[in-house]
Amino acid sequence: MKRITILIADDEMAIADLIGLHLAKEGYHVIKAADGQEAIQAVQTHSIDLAILDIMMPKVDGYEVTRQIRETNHMPIIFLSAKTSDMDKIAGLVRGADDYMTKPFNPMELIARVNAQLRRSRLLSQSSEENKPVLEAGGLAIYPDKRSVTLYGEPVDLTPKEFDILYLLASYPKKVFSAENIFQQVWGEDYYEGGNTVMVHIRKLRKKLQEDERKHKLIKTVWGVGYTFNG
């Protein structure tokens, strides 16, 4: 089962460490960013399920981080800020945050809010899954509910892991996933020496999708970074 990943973006590392400690006790995987630019990079290179953002961060503030996240992602965002007025809270929610907490804060209340936002997100996701259309690209059709794939109308026999990798990549076209990202999400385990495992599965998947015969490759290698769906 995939571990939930939470991004903590705050230039006060003592606060980030405290939050990270409590989230880790809840079983969450934590990624920390010391400024807004690092937060944006983390969202671009990792699969984040929820973000906890300070507003007044160096380089890029939390409002701009939220704006960029919202261009491509609907993950829950919680602002954790020293800005305490009602207008600040309203501004944060209007800018795209799902919740707003002020500093100083009770870590257990923050964890409760994190859990509540994740439950809400999961329910919305399940609702949309029921009506999710088939993913199609270049003769490839992916049927998530049936966990089946066809290529130009002919069934493609994939293993469960091959299907999970393909569906993950195809769900986020053009987004680059590192081998670590893929291993953590598909295998649901911490990444140690999983890179070779991912590479072998990608190689088999490409063969079954007849990638050697294609001018336009569906699964593209971004050298030194990872893999992306080029549909």
Short mmCIF file of all heavy atoms in Angstrom, two decimals, residues 137-143 146-160 162-164 166 201-211 214 218-219:
data_model
loop_
_atom_site.label_atom_id
_atom_site.label_comp_id
_atom_site.label_asym_id
_atom_site.label_seq_id
_atom_site.Cartn_x
_atom_site.Cartn_y
_atom_site.Cartn_z
N ALA A 137 -4.16 7.15 -25.47
CA ALA A 137 -3.07 7.87 -26.12
C ALA A 137 -2.39 6.95 -27.12
O ALA A 137 -2.03 5.82 -26.80
CB ALA A 137 -2.04 8.36 -25.10
N GLY A 138 -2.23 7.43 -28.35
CA GLY A 138 -1.46 6.71 -29.35
C GLY A 138 -1.86 5.26 -29.56
O GLY A 138 -1.01 4.39 -29.68
N GLY A 139 -3.18 5.00 -29.59
CA GLY A 139 -3.64 3.63 -29.79
C GLY A 139 -3.74 2.83 -28.50
O GLY A 139 -4.25 1.72 -28.50
N LEU A 140 -3.26 3.40 -27.41
CA LEU A 140 -3.29 2.74 -26.11
C LEU A 140 -4.53 3.16 -25.35
O LEU A 140 -4.88 4.34 -25.31
CB LEU A 140 -2.04 3.12 -25.30
CG LEU A 140 -1.92 2.53 -23.89
CD1 LEU A 140 -1.61 1.05 -23.96
CD2 LEU A 140 -0.83 3.27 -23.10
N ALA A 141 -5.23 2.21 -24.75
CA ALA A 141 -6.39 2.51 -23.91
C ALA A 141 -6.22 1.80 -22.58
O ALA A 141 -5.93 0.60 -22.54
CB ALA A 141 -7.68 2.05 -24.60
N ILE A 142 -6.38 2.55 -21.48
CA ILE A 142 -6.22 2.00 -20.14
C ILE A 142 -7.57 2.06 -19.43
O ILE A 142 -8.19 3.12 -19.36
CB ILE A 142 -5.17 2.80 -19.34
CG1 ILE A 142 -3.83 2.82 -20.08
CG2 ILE A 142 -4.99 2.20 -17.95
CD1 ILE A 142 -2.79 3.70 -19.42
N TYR A 143 -8.01 0.91 -18.91
CA TYR A 143 -9.28 0.81 -18.21
C TYR A 143 -9.00 0.59 -16.72
O TYR A 143 -8.78 -0.55 -16.30
CB TYR A 143 -10.11 -0.34 -18.77
CG TYR A 143 -10.42 -0.21 -20.25
CD1 TYR A 143 -9.50 -0.64 -21.21
CD2 TYR A 143 -11.61 0.35 -20.69
CE1 TYR A 143 -9.76 -0.50 -22.56
CE2 TYR A 143 -11.89 0.48 -22.04
CZ TYR A 143 -10.96 0.05 -22.97
OH TYR A 143 -11.22 0.18 -24.32
N LYS A 146 -11.23 -2.00 -14.66
CA LYS A 146 -10.99 -3.40 -15.03
C LYS A 146 -9.52 -3.79 -14.91
O LYS A 146 -9.18 -4.96 -15.04
CB LYS A 146 -11.44 -3.64 -16.47
CG LYS A 146 -12.92 -3.37 -16.72
CD LYS A 146 -13.25 -3.57 -18.20
CE LYS A 146 -14.70 -3.26 -18.48
NZ LYS A 146 -15.02 -3.41 -19.93
N ARG A 147 -8.66 -2.77 -14.69
CA ARG A 147 -7.21 -2.99 -14.66
C ARG A 147 -6.76 -3.73 -15.92
O ARG A 147 -6.03 -4.71 -15.87
CB ARG A 147 -6.79 -3.76 -13.40
CG ARG A 147 -6.95 -2.95 -12.13
CD ARG A 147 -6.47 -3.71 -10.91
NE ARG A 147 -5.07 -4.04 -10.99
CZ ARG A 147 -4.06 -3.22 -10.67
NH1 ARG A 147 -4.33 -1.97 -10.27
NH2 ARG A 147 -2.82 -3.61 -10.75
N SER A 148 -7.23 -3.22 -17.05
CA SER A 148 -6.88 -3.84 -18.33
C SER A 148 -6.39 -2.77 -19.30
O SER A 148 -6.67 -1.58 -19.14
CB SER A 148 -8.07 -4.58 -18.93
OG SER A 148 -9.12 -3.68 -19.22
N VAL A 149 -5.66 -3.24 -20.31
CA VAL A 149 -5.06 -2.34 -21.30
C VAL A 149 -5.23 -2.95 -22.69
O VAL A 149 -5.12 -4.16 -22.86
CB VAL A 149 -3.55 -2.15 -21.02
CG1 VAL A 149 -2.87 -1.35 -22.13
CG2 VAL A 149 -3.34 -1.46 -19.68
N THR A 150 -5.55 -2.09 -23.67
CA THR A 150 -5.57 -2.54 -25.05
C THR A 150 -4.65 -1.66 -25.89
O THR A 150 -4.45 -0.48 -25.57
CB THR A 150 -6.99 -2.51 -25.65
OG1 THR A 150 -7.48 -1.16 -25.66
CG2 THR A 150 -7.94 -3.40 -24.88
N LEU A 151 -4.11 -2.23 -26.94
CA LEU A 151 -3.27 -1.49 -27.88
C LEU A 151 -3.86 -1.70 -29.26
O LEU A 151 -3.89 -2.84 -29.76
CB LEU A 151 -1.82 -2.01 -27.81
CG LEU A 151 -0.79 -1.25 -28.64
CD1 LEU A 151 -0.66 0.20 -28.14
CD2 LEU A 151 0.57 -1.94 -28.59
N TYR A 152 -4.36 -0.62 -29.84
CA TYR A 152 -5.07 -0.68 -31.12
C TYR A 152 -6.18 -1.73 -31.08
O TYR A 152 -6.38 -2.50 -32.02
CB TYR A 152 -4.10 -0.96 -32.26
CG TYR A 152 -3.03 0.10 -32.41
CD1 TYR A 152 -1.69 -0.20 -32.13
CD2 TYR A 152 -3.35 1.40 -32.78
CE1 TYR A 152 -0.71 0.79 -32.24
CE2 TYR A 152 -2.37 2.38 -32.89
CZ TYR A 152 -1.06 2.06 -32.62
OH TYR A 152 -0.09 3.05 -32.73
N GLY A 153 -6.87 -1.77 -29.94
CA GLY A 153 -8.02 -2.66 -29.79
C GLY A 153 -7.69 -4.07 -29.34
O GLY A 153 -8.59 -4.84 -29.00
N GLU A 154 -6.40 -4.42 -29.32
CA GLU A 154 -5.99 -5.76 -28.90
C GLU A 154 -5.54 -5.74 -27.44
O GLU A 154 -4.82 -4.83 -27.02
CB GLU A 154 -4.84 -6.27 -29.78
CG GLU A 154 -5.22 -6.48 -31.23
CD GLU A 154 -6.28 -7.55 -31.40
OE1 GLU A 154 -6.21 -8.57 -30.67
OE2 GLU A 154 -7.18 -7.37 -32.24
N PRO A 155 -5.97 -6.73 -26.63
CA PRO A 155 -5.60 -6.75 -25.21
C PRO A 155 -4.08 -6.91 -25.03
O PRO A 155 -3.42 -7.62 -25.79
CB PRO A 155 -6.36 -7.95 -24.65
CG PRO A 155 -6.68 -8.81 -25.84
CD PRO A 155 -6.83 -7.88 -27.00
N VAL A 156 -3.55 -6.23 -24.02
CA VAL A 156 -2.14 -6.34 -23.67
C VAL A 156 -2.06 -7.02 -22.30
O VAL A 156 -2.68 -6.54 -21.34
CB VAL A 156 -1.47 -4.96 -23.61
CG1 VAL A 156 0.01 -5.10 -23.25
CG2 VAL A 156 -1.63 -4.22 -24.92
N ASP A 157 -1.34 -8.11 -22.23
CA ASP A 157 -1.25 -8.89 -21.00
C ASP A 157 -0.16 -8.30 -20.10
O ASP A 157 1.04 -8.54 -20.31
CB ASP A 157 -0.95 -10.35 -21.33
CG ASP A 157 -0.97 -11.23 -20.09
OD1 ASP A 157 -1.55 -10.80 -19.08
OD2 ASP A 157 -0.39 -12.33 -20.13
N LEU A 158 -0.57 -7.54 -19.09
CA LEU A 158 0.38 -6.91 -18.17
C LEU A 158 0.30 -7.56 -16.80
O LEU A 158 -0.78 -7.97 -16.37
CB LEU A 158 0.10 -5.41 -18.04
CG LEU A 158 0.16 -4.54 -19.29
CD1 LEU A 158 -0.11 -3.09 -18.91
CD2 LEU A 158 1.52 -4.67 -19.97
N THR A 159 1.42 -7.61 -16.11
CA THR A 159 1.41 -8.03 -14.72
C THR A 159 0.82 -6.89 -13.88
O THR A 159 0.75 -5.74 -14.34
CB THR A 159 2.83 -8.34 -14.22
OG1 THR A 159 3.58 -7.12 -14.18
CG2 THR A 159 3.53 -9.34 -15.13
N PRO A 160 0.38 -7.18 -12.65
CA PRO A 160 -0.17 -6.10 -11.81
C PRO A 160 0.78 -4.92 -11.63
O PRO A 160 0.36 -3.76 -11.70
CB PRO A 160 -0.44 -6.81 -10.47
CG PRO A 160 -0.72 -8.22 -10.86
CD PRO A 160 0.22 -8.50 -12.01
N GLU A 162 3.26 -4.01 -13.67
CA GLU A 162 3.40 -3.32 -14.96
C GLU A 162 2.21 -2.40 -15.20
O GLU A 162 2.36 -1.27 -15.65
CB GLU A 162 3.53 -4.33 -16.10
CG GLU A 162 4.86 -5.07 -16.11
CD GLU A 162 4.86 -6.28 -17.03
OE1 GLU A 162 3.79 -6.63 -17.58
OE2 GLU A 162 5.93 -6.89 -17.20
N PHE A 163 1.00 -2.90 -14.85
CA PHE A 163 -0.18 -2.05 -15.01
C PHE A 163 -0.09 -0.84 -14.09
O PHE A 163 -0.39 0.29 -14.51
CB PHE A 163 -1.46 -2.84 -14.69
CG PHE A 163 -2.71 -1.99 -14.77
CD1 PHE A 163 -3.38 -1.84 -15.98
CD2 PHE A 163 -3.19 -1.32 -13.65
CE1 PHE A 163 -4.50 -1.03 -16.07
CE2 PHE A 163 -4.31 -0.51 -13.73
CZ PHE A 163 -4.97 -0.38 -14.94
N ASP A 164 0.31 -1.05 -12.85
CA ASP A 164 0.39 0.06 -11.89
C ASP A 164 1.39 1.13 -12.34
O ASP A 164 1.14 2.33 -12.19
CB ASP A 164 0.79 -0.47 -10.51
CG ASP A 164 -0.32 -1.27 -9.84
OD1 ASP A 164 -1.48 -1.13 -10.26
OD2 ASP A 164 -0.02 -2.03 -8.91
N LEU A 166 2.34 1.74 -15.51
CA LEU A 166 1.78 2.40 -16.68
C LEU A 166 0.67 3.38 -16.29
O LEU A 166 0.64 4.52 -16.77
CB LEU A 166 1.23 1.36 -17.66
CG LEU A 166 0.56 1.92 -18.92
CD1 LEU A 166 1.55 2.71 -19.75
CD2 LEU A 166 -0.05 0.78 -19.75
N HIS A 201 11.08 -3.63 -14.99
CA HIS A 201 9.65 -3.59 -15.28
C HIS A 201 9.34 -2.62 -16.42
O HIS A 201 8.47 -2.92 -17.27
CB HIS A 201 8.86 -3.18 -14.02
CG HIS A 201 8.63 -4.31 -13.07
ND1 HIS A 201 9.62 -4.82 -12.26
CD2 HIS A 201 7.51 -5.03 -12.79
CE1 HIS A 201 9.12 -5.80 -11.53
NE2 HIS A 201 7.84 -5.96 -11.83
N ILE A 202 10.02 -1.50 -16.46
CA ILE A 202 9.83 -0.54 -17.55
C ILE A 202 10.23 -1.18 -18.88
O ILE A 202 9.55 -1.03 -19.90
CB ILE A 202 10.66 0.74 -17.31
CG1 ILE A 202 10.10 1.54 -16.14
CG2 ILE A 202 10.71 1.60 -18.58
CD1 ILE A 202 8.86 2.34 -16.42
N ARG A 203 11.35 -1.92 -18.86
CA ARG A 203 11.82 -2.57 -20.10
C ARG A 203 10.78 -3.57 -20.61
O ARG A 203 10.46 -3.59 -21.81
CB ARG A 203 13.14 -3.27 -19.83
CG ARG A 203 13.78 -3.87 -21.10
CD ARG A 203 14.99 -4.73 -20.76
NE ARG A 203 15.95 -3.98 -19.95
CZ ARG A 203 16.56 -4.47 -18.87
NH1 ARG A 203 16.28 -5.71 -18.46
NH2 ARG A 203 17.43 -3.75 -18.21
N LYS A 204 10.23 -4.38 -19.72
CA LYS A 204 9.21 -5.37 -20.11
C LYS A 204 7.94 -4.67 -20.59
O LYS A 204 7.30 -5.10 -21.56
CB LYS A 204 8.90 -6.29 -18.94
CG LYS A 204 10.05 -7.22 -18.57
CD LYS A 204 9.67 -8.11 -17.40
CE LYS A 204 10.81 -9.08 -17.05
NZ LYS A 204 10.46 -9.93 -15.89
N LEU A 205 7.58 -3.59 -19.91
CA LEU A 205 6.39 -2.84 -20.29
C LEU A 205 6.53 -2.25 -21.68
O LEU A 205 5.61 -2.31 -22.51
CB LEU A 205 6.16 -1.73 -19.26
CG LEU A 205 4.90 -0.87 -19.36
CD1 LEU A 205 3.65 -1.73 -19.40
CD2 LEU A 205 4.85 0.10 -18.19
N ARG A 206 7.70 -1.70 -21.97
CA ARG A 206 7.94 -1.13 -23.29
C ARG A 206 7.83 -2.20 -24.39
O ARG A 206 7.30 -1.95 -25.47
CB ARG A 206 9.32 -0.48 -23.33
CG ARG A 206 9.37 0.89 -22.67
CD ARG A 206 10.77 1.40 -22.58
NE ARG A 206 10.82 2.83 -22.28
CZ ARG A 206 11.86 3.46 -21.77
NH1 ARG A 206 12.97 2.76 -21.48
NH2 ARG A 206 11.82 4.74 -21.54
N LYS A 207 8.35 -3.37 -24.10
CA LYS A 207 8.28 -4.45 -25.08
C LYS A 207 6.84 -4.83 -25.38
O LYS A 207 6.45 -5.02 -26.55
CB LYS A 207 9.06 -5.66 -24.57
CG LYS A 207 9.13 -6.81 -25.56
CD LYS A 207 10.00 -7.94 -25.04
CE LYS A 207 10.09 -9.07 -26.06
NZ LYS A 207 10.94 -10.20 -25.56
N LYS A 208 6.02 -4.93 -24.32
CA LYS A 208 4.62 -5.31 -24.51
C LYS A 208 3.82 -4.22 -25.22
O LYS A 208 2.83 -4.51 -25.90
CB LYS A 208 3.99 -5.63 -23.15
CG LYS A 208 4.55 -6.90 -22.51
CD LYS A 208 3.89 -7.19 -21.17
CE LYS A 208 4.45 -8.47 -20.56
NZ LYS A 208 3.83 -8.81 -19.26
N LEU A 209 4.27 -2.97 -25.08
CA LEU A 209 3.60 -1.86 -25.77
C LEU A 209 4.18 -1.60 -27.16
O LEU A 209 3.83 -0.62 -27.80
CB LEU A 209 3.69 -0.59 -24.92
CG LEU A 209 3.01 -0.62 -23.56
CD1 LEU A 209 3.19 0.71 -22.84
CD2 LEU A 209 1.53 -0.96 -23.69
N GLN A 210 5.09 -2.49 -27.58
CA GLN A 210 5.70 -2.42 -28.92
C GLN A 210 6.38 -1.08 -29.16
O GLN A 210 6.31 -0.49 -30.24
CB GLN A 210 4.62 -2.66 -29.99
CG GLN A 210 3.90 -3.99 -29.84
CD GLN A 210 2.74 -4.16 -30.81
OE1 GLN A 210 2.63 -3.44 -31.80
NE2 GLN A 210 1.85 -5.11 -30.52
N GLU A 211 7.08 -0.60 -28.12
CA GLU A 211 7.75 0.69 -28.20
C GLU A 211 8.85 0.72 -29.27
O GLU A 211 9.13 1.77 -29.85
CB GLU A 211 8.34 1.07 -26.84
CG GLU A 211 7.31 1.40 -25.77
CD GLU A 211 6.71 2.80 -25.95
OE1 GLU A 211 5.80 2.95 -26.79
OE2 GLU A 211 7.15 3.73 -25.27
N ARG A 214 7.65 2.07 -32.53
CA ARG A 214 7.02 3.39 -32.53
C ARG A 214 8.03 4.50 -32.78
O ARG A 214 9.12 4.49 -32.25
CB ARG A 214 6.38 3.68 -31.17
CG ARG A 214 5.15 2.88 -30.85
CD ARG A 214 4.69 3.24 -29.43
NE ARG A 214 3.43 2.61 -29.11
CZ ARG A 214 2.24 3.15 -29.34
NH1 ARG A 214 2.17 4.35 -29.91
NH2 ARG A 214 1.13 2.53 -29.01
N LEU A 218 5.74 6.15 -26.07
CA LEU A 218 4.80 6.50 -25.02
C LEU A 218 5.51 6.68 -23.67
O LEU A 218 5.15 7.55 -22.89
CB LEU A 218 3.72 5.43 -24.91
CG LEU A 218 2.71 5.38 -26.05
CD1 LEU A 218 1.77 4.19 -25.89
CD2 LEU A 218 1.90 6.67 -26.12
N ILE A 219 6.49 5.84 -23.40
CA ILE A 219 7.24 5.95 -22.16
C ILE A 219 8.63 6.48 -22.50
O ILE A 219 9.42 5.82 -23.16
CB ILE A 219 7.35 4.60 -21.43
CG1 ILE A 219 5.96 4.07 -21.09
CG2 ILE A 219 8.18 4.74 -20.16
CD1 ILE A 219 5.95 2.71 -20.45
#
